[in-house]
Amino acid sequence: MSSIKPSDDDREDKSDSIADSPHNGEEDELGDVVGADDEEQSVKRTSLKERLAVILTPVKLGIGIAVLAMIVLGWWATRPIEAPQPPPKPPEPEELFAQQIEQILNGVSTQLHTPSYPIDDSSLLLIPFEELETAAEQRRSDLVVDESSPATGDVSSPEFAPLPPSNRFVGGGEAVGEPLVTELPKLDTVLIDEGVITDEGLKTIAKLPELRHLRLRLSPITDEGLKPLLECETLWFLNLPHSRLTEKGIRSLAALPKLRQLRVGSTLLGNDLGRALLEVESLRGLHLIGVPLGDEGLKVIVELPHLESLYLDDSAVTESGWEWLFLNHPQLHVHINQRHHDRDPHHHKHE
């Protein structure tokens, strides 16, 4: 048989078919030909990785944060916990009392005040009486008296000028100023609001050489117990709201030449108290607590020659008695049951 040779047209068709073949191009390392479809697949694979990376990055971050939080919480749960410290223990009454005595000895204060802790007769024995007496003698020796000038400042005289408002009764009580600072120790004010002081304790207090202001709450001081105090020529304010004094004890207060303010309560005092009080002519202020003073007793009391303020708590004065008082003594400053009387012409606010 004779061989048939392809024509030129057939060769051209084959060439075209080869050119259109999808494997037309360069071979890869394995001998495969990389075509256009492979490039598209590569782009798709790269794009998918990028999308996965975008998705997985916050997930990884969240996991990292969660792990860190678990570590911190685990440490916090297992950390050693310190026991809470108990609040500081408040000082004992003995400590507070000793601190006040030290302030007095150092000249920082001239007051012994126990508003929040109780003391008794035995506590008073800790007062440094010898040092106080020595200091008082030193002050007396340093006092220079000008004999050429008139003795207008003699507080023992009945004509002694009235006390300033800050030293009068305030709201049924008395004003307590700031402790004075002095170089030498001095104790002129004793205010015992807690604890009971008996007649025996008052004997101790009466030894203070420069006592001016004494307040003993809850203390049943009697006429007999009052006697040592009558030697305190410097005393100007006496406050015994829970005493056991009778009219005899009230009369004895006339022995105190500088007494200006008296605040007293006693179930043993009655409507006849007025006559006993008239003997204490130096009084400028009077406060009676729980004394059944009536209209007639009121008319007697206001005869005190230098009386400026009158405070009555739980008295038996009637409306007619008050009418008489404001009509005949308009200059008198009056409190009834810790409050101003509505018709008191000297009504004022108390700070």
Side-chain angles (χ1 to χ4, degrees):
M1 293 180 63
S2 62
S3 62
I4 300 174
K5 295 182 180 180
S7 65
D8 293 337
D9 294 335
D10 293 335
R11 286 195 294 269
E12 290 178 0
D13 293 337
K14 291 180 181 180
S15 298
D16 293 337
S17 62
I18 294 174
D20 294 336
S21 172
H23 297 287
N24 183 32
E26 298 180 356
E27 296 181 353
D28 57 13
E29 294 178 355
L30 298 177
D32 296 330
V33 179
V34 180
D37 291 342
D38 292 331
E39 292 180 359
E40 291 180 5
Q41 293 296 328
S42 176
V43 171
K44 291 180 180 179
R45 286 195 297 272
T46 302
S47 177
L48 181 59
K49 290 180 180 179
E50 290 177 352
R51 288 198 298 270
L52 289 175
V54 171
I55 295 172
L56 293 177
T57 297
V59 174
K60 292 179 179 178
L61 181 61
I63 293 173
I65 294 175
V67 171
L68 180 61
M70 292 177 64
I71 294 173
V72 172
L73 289 175
W75 170 83
W76 182 263
T78 58
R79 81 191 191 286
I81 300 177
E82 297 182 1
Q85 296 296 326
K89 186 179 179 181
E92 296 292 334
E94 295 79 5
E95 298 178 45
L96 295 172
F97 189 77
Q99 290 173 7
Q100 290 203 48
I101 296 299
E102 183 177 0
Q103 290 178 344
I104 292 169
L105 283 173
N106 293 333
V108 176
S109 173
T110 64
Q111 295 184 5
L112 178 59
H113 189 193
T114 64
S116 60
Y117 61 92
I119 65 172
D120 53 20
D121 293 350
S122 61
S123 304
L124 299 173
L125 299 177
L126 300 177
I127 297 176
F129 292 97
E130 293 184 6
E131 291 86 342
L132 294 172
E133 180 60 42
T134 301
E137 291 179 358
Q138 181 66 41
R139 272 187 287 271
R140 285 193 289 265
S141 64
D142 292 342
L143 182 62
V144 177
V145 179
D146 187 355
E147 297 181 356
S148 61
S149 61
T152 56
D154 184 10
V155 294
S156 64
S157 170
E159 298 301 324
F160 176 54
L163 293 168
S166 60
N167 288 332
R168 296 182 185 174
F169 290 128
V170 176
E174 66 267 27
V176 180
E178 292 297 325
L180 301 177
V181 177
T182 177
E183 295 181 359
L184 297 174
K186 182 179 182 180
L187 179 54
D188 59 15
T189 302
V190 176
L191 311 174
I192 299 177
D193 296 334
E194 295 291 338
V196 176
I197 301 300
T198 67
D199 290 351
E200 194 65 28
L202 189 56
K203 289 181 183 179
T204 304
I205 295 174
K207 297 177 183 179
L208 292 171
E210 299 173 284
L211 182 64
R212 297 183 68 247
H213 188 172
L214 175 61
R215 180 172 76 209
L216 300 178
R217 299 190 191 277
L218 310 176
S219 300
I221 303 301
T222 68
D223 294 347
E224 188 66 24
L226 194 63
K227 289 181 178 179
L229 193 67
L230 303 179
E231 303 296 326
C232 297
E233 296 183 354
T234 57
L235 188 65
W236 70 269
F237 201 131
L238 179 60
N239 186 346
L240 302 174
H242 303 100
S243 75
R244 300 286 294 169
L245 296 180
T246 68
E247 294 172 13
K248 179 182 177 181
I250 297 298
R251 283 191 176 92
S252 70
L253 295 176
L256 298 172
K258 298 179 182 178
L259 187 64
R260 297 293 181 267
Q261 303 280 359
L262 175 62
R263 186 171 190 257
V264 63
S266 173
T267 57
L268 303 180
L269 295 174
N271 192 42
D272 296 332
L273 173 64
R275 294 298 171 188
L277 281 169
L278 287 183
E279 299 187 23
V280 193
E281 296 183 358
S282 62
L283 287 180
R284 303 300 197 264
L286 177 63
H287 187 170
L288 300 179
I289 306 167
V291 177
L293 188 74
D295 294 355
E296 295 303 317
L298 176 66
K299 292 179 181 180
V300 175
I301 285 178
V302 296
E303 293 178 14
L304 279 165
H306 307 290
L307 189 64
E308 299 172 355
S309 62
L310 177 62
Y311 287 38
L312 298 180
D313 293 348
D314 300 322
S315 72
V317 177
T318 67
E319 187 65 22
S320 298
W322 293 121
E323 290 280 359
W324 175 89
L325 177 68
F326 288 115
L327 178 63
N328 293 277
H329 297 273
Q331 80 288 349
L332 197 61
H333 181 71
V334 179
H335 269 221
I336 304 172
N337 299 328
Q338 306 292 328
R339 300 184 64 179
H340 282 288
H341 196 284
D342 292 341
R343 287 163 293 173
D344 181 0
H346 301 283
H347 178 92
H348 65 272
K349 292 182 179 181
H350 285 276
E351 297 295 335

